[in-house]
């Protein structure tokens, strides 16, 4: 049983890459946030509003552990903050866990997030300058956790197919 964990900042392409990787490797993809939403039948925003961040982070950790303990091979896409809480980054070191940090520059992330920010409540109301600063600060704060991944794949200037191939080469 192998678990392939994709992590990185929002906008780095985790879901897009994981879906394509799932098709190419014939391994099911599970998005951690979607799994949590299904469990409670609430959106992530509704969970935060109704129960608060501490409750969410505890549930996120429990769900991540359940997925890692499940008997089948899985590709697991983490939320951008998942590695930073409840020592989740330590789980990257487990037996049968292959963790890949999809690393993107501030410029790449800004370019991707600026066009879709209305779909992301965390950044929806931010100006361009605020968004750039927000991304830079978060990347700085989270880099320690992201860098605990066994592998790093740079996504800047790469197509989805190229990035998926980079990961397939790691898995080979």
């Amino acid at each position: 049983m192998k678990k392939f964990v994709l992590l990185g900042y929002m906008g780095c392409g985790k879901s897009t890459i994981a879906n394509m990787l799932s098709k190419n490797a014939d391994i099911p993809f599970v998005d951690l946030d979607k799994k949590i939403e299904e469990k409670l039948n609430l959106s992530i925003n509704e969970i935060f509003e109704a129960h608060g961040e501490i409750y969410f982070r505890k549930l996120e950790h429990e769900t991540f552990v359940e997925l890692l303990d499940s008997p089948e091979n899985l590709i697991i896409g983490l939320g951008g903050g998942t590695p930073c809480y409840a020592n989740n980054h330590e789980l990257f070191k487990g037996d049968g866990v292959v963790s890949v940090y999809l690393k993107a520059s501030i410029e790449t992330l800004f370019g991707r997030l600026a066009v879709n920010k209305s779909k992301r409540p965390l950044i929806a109301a931010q100006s361009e300058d605020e968004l750039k600063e927000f991304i830079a600060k978060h990347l700085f704060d989270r880099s320690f956790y992201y860098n605990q991944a066994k592998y790093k794949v740079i996504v800047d200037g790469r197509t989805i197919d190229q990035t998926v191939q980079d990961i397939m080469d790691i898995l080979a």
Side-chain angles (χ1 to χ4, degrees):
M1 125 191 121
K2 280 231 187 236
K3 302 299 185 279
F4 305 97
V5 178
L6 297 185
L7 59 129
Y9 197 69
M10 67 176 152
C12 73
K14 292 182 299 287
S15 296
T16 303
I17 300 300
N19 276 309
M20 178 80 75
L21 189 60
S22 174
K23 287 183 184 106
N24 289 3
D26 197 29
I27 299 170
F29 164 52
V30 178
D31 180 288
L32 183 61
D33 282 348
K34 285 188 174 45
K35 185 81 172 168
I36 293 166
E37 288 176 338
E38 288 168 11
K39 259 185 163 180
L40 294 190
N41 202 23
L42 293 170
S43 72
I44 298 299
N45 287 344
E46 290 168 334
I47 296 167
F48 266 80
E49 287 171 17
H51 302 285
E53 184 175 9
I54 292 170
Y55 175 87
F56 171 77
R57 295 299 177 190
K58 186 172 184 271
L59 182 63
E60 177 183 56
H61 175 74
E62 290 167 359
T63 307
F64 186 30
V65 169
E66 284 169 18
L67 290 172
L68 290 174
D69 289 344
S70 68
E72 64 271 4
N73 290 336
L74 289 176
I75 296 168
I76 304 168
L78 301 184
T82 305
C84 311
Y85 297 93
N87 285 326
N88 288 326
H89 66 286
E90 294 292 332
L91 300 174
F92 301 161
K93 300 168 185 160
D95 288 341
V97 177
V98 177
S99 52
V100 180
Y101 169 25
L102 298 179
K103 187 172 180 164
S105 67
I106 294 167
E107 292 74 27
T108 295
L109 294 169
F110 174 77
R112 292 177 180 183
L113 293 172
V115 296
N116 277 325
K117 64 181 191 166
S118 64
K119 294 179 184 164
R120 299 182 183 265
L122 204 56
I123 59 171
Q126 294 184 0
S127 71
E128 288 194 0
D129 287 343
E130 289 169 333
L131 179 58
K132 238 181 210 171
E133 188 173 321
F134 182 85
I135 293 167
K137 181 187 178 325
H138 262 175
L139 279 181
F140 178 79
D141 291 345
R142 294 176 174 187
S143 64
F144 169 80
Y145 302 100
Y146 288 168
N147 283 306
Q148 300 301 306
K150 287 182 184 159
Y151 301 98
K152 280 181 213 72
V153 172
I154 308 290
V155 300
D156 298 330
R158 311 278 294 157
T159 66
I160 294 164
D161 289 334
Q162 288 170 326
T163 303
V164 169
Q165 189 56 55
D166 291 344
I167 297 168
M168 293 292 286
D169 291 345
I170 288 168
L171 304 182

